[in-house]
Amino acid sequence: MPEQRRAPRRPRARPLRARLVAGAVAALLAPGILAACAPAPIETAAGLGAVTAQRDRVAEQAHERSMQRLAEFVRAKWGPVSLPEVVVERWVDYGEWGGLMSECLASAGFPGARAADEGERIDYSGVDVDSPRELFDVDVATYACQGRFPVRSWFVDSVRGVELPWAYEYATSELPACLARHGWAVAEAPPSQEFAATWRTDDAYDPYALVGPDPLERAAASARCPAPEVLLDGASR
């Protein structure tokens, strides 16, 4: 807790909100600073369990580091305060993070926070805070909520080295064999360096490029013979 000081003049609500947006939103950015049916499992997908287990460990370690940076941010702002121990409740998709943060903060006693900028940040302007103590409590609640609901894509660079070797091996062996076995033409995979350079981007290798333009046919191919990222993401906790 901060050391006791003389009570400051009661600030107006608007400046406190502005400080909250500037402070707590910066904390929220700590990880950066600080088909018609579900895909059917391919017949073997050799090594998927081992690679996802390793990937999850790496992501968890990266999340722990980001929380350490966030704790440092809060303590630099408020002093050597005690922060709650936080356990990951579940890993979430990027698109649901803002809504979960809003619900979590509301359940902690601070309704009014909303996702902004297409989920890039949390807007605290609707949160009523009337004192520095409440501002501190919001920062602590933000720390706890962020720790409970991390987004795996925040740590894509950390897990890249784990996923890529398996993804390339699968894309050049099991996936083309599966497509051929079901009568679909196989698009040749690029060299490993090119595959890696475009992995998980709009320019990534399209294993279904020769299946044909019919979206239903492509959907059938991708459901029967899933792309590597589909299998990896489906195995996420």
Side-chain angles (χ1 to χ4, degrees):
M1 300 296 296
E3 65 180 81
Q4 295 296 319
R5 298 184 177 91
R6 188 187 314 170
R9 176 184 296 177
R10 182 182 180 84
R12 291 177 300 174
R14 183 58 59 184
L16 275 171
R17 287 177 180 151
R19 286 171 52 207
L20 182 56
V21 172
V25 168
L28 279 168
L29 296 178
I33 14 181
L34 304 165
C37 57
I42 202 167
E43 282 79 352
T44 58
L48 178 61
V51 77
T52 54
Q54 182 183 0
R55 184 270 314 275
D56 288 344
R57 285 195 299 272
V58 170
E60 287 162 2
Q61 291 165 357
H63 173 57
E64 289 171 2
R65 291 192 296 270
S66 77
M67 292 301 292
Q68 289 170 0
R69 290 192 296 270
L70 182 50
E72 290 170 1
F73 170 86
V74 173
R75 288 175 176 133
K77 182 178 178 181
W78 296 105
V81 296
S82 296
L83 294 172
E85 290 195 16
V86 184
V87 177
V88 174
E89 189 166 317
R90 69 181 175 93
W91 292 83
V92 303
D93 293 331
Y94 180 80
E96 61 180 330
W97 173 75
L100 283 170
M101 287 294 295
S102 177
E103 293 173 8
C104 183
L105 288 165
S107 67
F110 301 101
R114 296 290 181 267
D117 297 339
E118 298 182 350
E120 291 285 341
R121 66 182 182 87
I122 302 298
D123 178 5
Y124 291 80
S125 61
V127 178
D128 287 326
V129 288
D130 294 320
S131 68
R133 173 67 201 201
E134 288 183 323
L135 184 60
F136 165 72
D137 289 340
V138 174
D139 279 353
V140 174
T142 295
Y143 171 87
C145 291
Q146 186 162 310
R148 289 172 59 192
F149 302 110
V151 180
R152 190 177 299 281
S153 60
W154 285 343
F155 311 111
V156 62
D157 290 340
S158 296
V159 304
R160 185 181 181 85
V162 178
E163 291 185 336
L164 265 173
W166 179 88
Y168 188 70
E169 174 63 25
Y170 168 80
T172 56
S173 58
E174 293 186 62
L175 179 54
C178 178
L179 289 169
R181 186 162 57 248
H182 290 92
W184 287 299
V186 178
E188 184 178 358
S192 59
Q193 288 185 337
E194 181 181 341
F195 182 93
T198 59
W199 169 247
R200 291 190 182 274
T201 73
D202 291 340
D203 298 321
Y205 161 62
D206 178 8
Y208 314 108
L210 301 182
V211 167
D214 183 352
L216 292 179
E217 189 73 5
R218 284 180 60 92
S222 61
R224 178 71 68 175
C225 306
E229 61 271 22
V230 172
L231 290 176
L232 288 164
D233 293 348
S236 297
R237 291 207 297 266

